[in-house]
Amino acid sequence: MTKTYQIMATAAAGIESLVGKELDQLGYNHQVENYRVRFQGTQRDILNTNVWLRTADRIKIIVGEFEATTFDSLFEQVKALPWEEYLNYDSQFPVAGRSRKSTLFSVPDVQAITKKAIVERLKQAYHVRTRLPETGFFAQLEVQIEKDHVLLTLDTTGESLFKRGYRVNKGGAPLKENFAAALVMLTNWHPDRPFVDPTTGSGTIPIEAALIGRNLAPGLTRRFAIEDMDWFDEKLSDEVRDEAESKADYDRTLDITGYDIDENMVTIANENAKHAGLSQDITFKQLAAKDWQTDQLNGVLVSNPPYGERLGELEAARELYAQMGKVYKQMPSWSKYILTSDLDFEKSFGQKATKKRKLYNGALRVDYFQFWGKRER
């Protein structure tokens, strides 16, 4: 019988509902929580979600969860879990730890006791008396305690899902790929409409838009941690990827453009698009945001302009926002989506947003200002 796992997709604050929406589209029942979305599935589903999810950070197996307020209780309950189903006697298994609002607040102690309990379990299961060699496959574990609730997980992803593998160069202050995908997915863009990023930097937003437009699975060309674990069914690697490949739409014509005032960034963006196999789908040009104009209708514009976080830069950023406001006023059928940490952005831009959404770009609180266009025929 095929084993079903309790699984969770981790996500940045404010993005969880998007991960839930993606899981919905992939056909999974799910439960959205802070920083994660829970669902159930088989090994195939674990690999499938690693390959397909655009906005998640990682896919983790929940090995167990319980309440604990003493180290004895933590030790015994960790030891009672079936670790031999996930780890060999020689697996390398570092234990990361976190504790918040809990009786067991010392993270190093929590990690050490969790590790000791797993070692004891594996020694019994494999009838080993000596030290475990830890020379076998790598498995990153985590013990997380929140209000005395312990959650033990095994990471199946490896390098975070935002590492798609296409970014050969990034320039300054780049957006993570999964965050860029989230910005595109929060718009009303459809692949038959024009898409523009006027402050494109290393091209991440247009590249993510092209991946969405072509229905290309973002993790198609990379390998995941679970594929190196010897209990994983190897034949799934090709099956899941072949199935994902068959769903790609190579026939659709996309109209995606990225502009940047810096010629070097345009070169980098072109390199990245080429590496992603999407250079035919995206046009990158050197152009200042204030000089952009178009006679196209019903397009979508997504911009992550400089925020002016450093001293003396806010004025320059606000001047740019004012220029953008003047230019975009002439394009009422376009929907514009602009990300910034400047909460007074609307004043500089000269227009009140239709909607604002609070997000976190790393640790930085940002707002996604949305100005919906009036569609023209």
Side-chain angles (χ1 to χ4, degrees):
M1 196 173 138
T2 309
K3 182 175 164 67
T4 300
Y5 299 85
Q6 300 299 319
I7 313 164
M8 70 185 202
T10 63
I15 302 289
E16 303 96 337
S17 61
L18 277 182
V19 176
K21 195 173 165 187
E22 287 193 81
L23 284 167
D24 235 4
Q25 288 163 350
L26 291 170
Y28 298 104
N29 291 325
H30 64 274
Q31 184 185 333
V32 176
E33 298 176 3
N34 286 339
Y35 308 110
R36 61 181 174 237
V37 186
R38 293 175 183 248
F39 61 106
Q40 293 181 343
T42 60
Q43 289 186 19
R44 173 186 281 276
D45 298 315
I46 292 168
L47 184 58
N48 193 45
T49 48
N50 269 304
V51 165
W52 273 107
L53 289 181
R54 299 181 192 280
T55 56
D57 286 326
R58 299 180 172 281
I59 307 299
K60 296 181 175 186
I61 293 170
I62 298 170
V63 181
E65 55 186 319
F66 48 80
E67 307 296 314
T69 53
T70 69
F71 286 124
D72 281 349
S73 169
L74 176 67
F75 181 88
E76 292 303 334
Q77 292 187 84
V78 171
K79 192 183 166 191
L81 295 169
W83 293 103
E84 64 278 9
E85 291 178 17
Y86 304 98
L87 304 169
N88 283 351
Y89 80 96
D90 65 345
S91 297
Q92 301 173 59
F93 58 99
V95 178
R98 275 191 284 169
S99 179
R100 196 168 158 268
K101 297 181 180 171
S102 299
T103 312
L104 303 177
F105 59 84
S106 166
V107 173
D109 288 338
V110 165
Q111 287 170 280
I113 281 161
T114 301
K115 176 92 179 184
K116 191 179 171 192
I118 298 168
V119 167
E120 286 302 310
R121 173 78 187 207
L122 293 177
K123 280 184 169 181
Q124 282 178 10
Y126 292 112
H127 310 293
V128 176
R129 288 194 181 160
T130 53
R131 262 186 83 170
L132 298 180
E134 295 210 39
T135 52
F137 70 75
F138 183 86
Q140 179 65 61
L141 306 178
E142 184 179 47
V143 53
Q144 193 177 333
I145 312 182
E146 175 99 23
K147 295 178 184 165
D148 299 329
H149 183 80
V150 181
L151 185 68
L152 288 141
T153 58
L154 164 66
D155 175 45
T156 71
T157 301
E159 280 202 305
S160 176
L161 289 176
F162 80 80
K163 300 223 169 164
R164 316 279 204 233
Y166 62 72
R167 201 145 73 175
V168 282
N169 206 328
K170 52 184 188 236
L175 279 182
K176 284 181 177 173
E177 291 86 326
N178 55 356
F179 191 71
L183 295 182
V184 177
M185 289 167 68
L186 286 168
T187 72
N188 59 354
W189 181 63
H190 189 269
D192 62 0
R193 297 168 72 178
F195 183 97
V196 166
D197 176 359
T199 53
T200 200
S202 57
T204 312
I205 293 172
I207 291 169
E208 290 297 322
L211 289 171
I212 290 166
R214 290 250 168 270
N215 199 35
L216 283 166
L220 191 61
T221 59
R222 58 162 285 190
R223 191 169 173 85
F224 299 99
I226 193 171
E227 295 176 89
D228 294 323
M229 296 178 191
D230 66 4
W231 47 267
F232 178 75
D233 182 356
E234 282 174 35
K235 71 175 189 296
L236 293 173
S237 292
D238 286 339
E239 282 178 22
V240 168
R241 285 181 178 83
D242 289 348
E243 191 186 317
E245 182 72 58
S246 74
K247 290 178 178 171
D249 181 351
Y250 293 108
D251 301 326
R252 177 178 262 154
T253 303
L254 297 175
D255 181 356
I256 299 174
T257 316
Y259 300 100
D260 202 276
I261 196 166
D262 182 346
E263 193 178 356
N264 291 335
M265 293 315 293
V266 173
T267 304
I268 287 169
N270 272 315
E271 272 176 35
N272 290 340
K274 190 176 172 186
H275 211 66
L278 296 166
S279 48
Q280 303 301 309
D281 297 318
I282 312 167
T283 306
F284 289 110
K285 290 179 184 167
Q286 183 190 8
L287 191 74
K290 66 180 171 60
D291 296 329
W292 178 68
Q293 48 189 305
T294 183
D295 50 11
Q296 288 182 295
L297 298 174
N298 309 322
V300 169
L301 177 146
V302 176
S303 175
N304 174 42
Y307 303 161
E309 279 296 302
R310 294 195 194 98
L311 204 62
E313 289 181 359
L314 186 58
E315 250 175 74
R318 285 180 172 168
E319 195 179 316
L320 172 63
Y321 303 156
Q323 290 167 351
M324 288 169 125
K326 280 182 193 139
V327 173
Y328 304 158
K329 210 174 266 180
Q330 299 159 40
M331 301 151 198
S333 75
W334 279 67
S335 290
K336 304 100 181 172
Y337 299 80
I338 299 162
L339 186 79
T340 176
S341 62
D342 181 4
L343 301 183
D344 287 330
F345 168 79
E346 289 155 306
K347 270 188 207 159
S348 309
F349 191 71
Q351 191 185 339
K352 194 143 179 52
T354 316
K355 192 179 175 184
K356 279 190 294 192
R357 185 169 178 137
K358 183 168 81 169
L359 297 170
Y360 285 88
N361 182 5
L364 183 66
R365 150 81 197 268
V366 286
D367 274 13
Y368 200 30
F369 291 89
Q370 308 177 25
F371 303 86
W372 300 348
K374 290 187 174 73
R375 199 172 171 85
E376 290 180 36
R377 295 257 169 247

